Amino acid sequence: MAIWLTENSKIIVQGMTGGEGTKHTRRMLASGA
């Protein structure tokens, strides 16, 4: 299954309170997501 995202896609991050979730969320925000 493929998931296609565009610059207008809305993303929900679930489980960002854990260490791994926080790390990836920060990286996504830093990249302009």
Side-chain angles (χ1 to χ4, degrees):
M1 174 174 68
I3 299 173
W4 296 95
L5 300 175
T6 68
E7 60 187 24
N8 297 321
S9 297
K10 303 278 187 209
I11 306 296
I12 296 174
V13 178
Q14 186 174 5
M16 62 180 280
T17 55
E20 286 295 309
T22 301
K23 178 178 73 174
H24 291 297
T25 302
R26 284 188 179 143
R27 290 176 67 188
M28 285 179 18
L29 291 173
S31 71

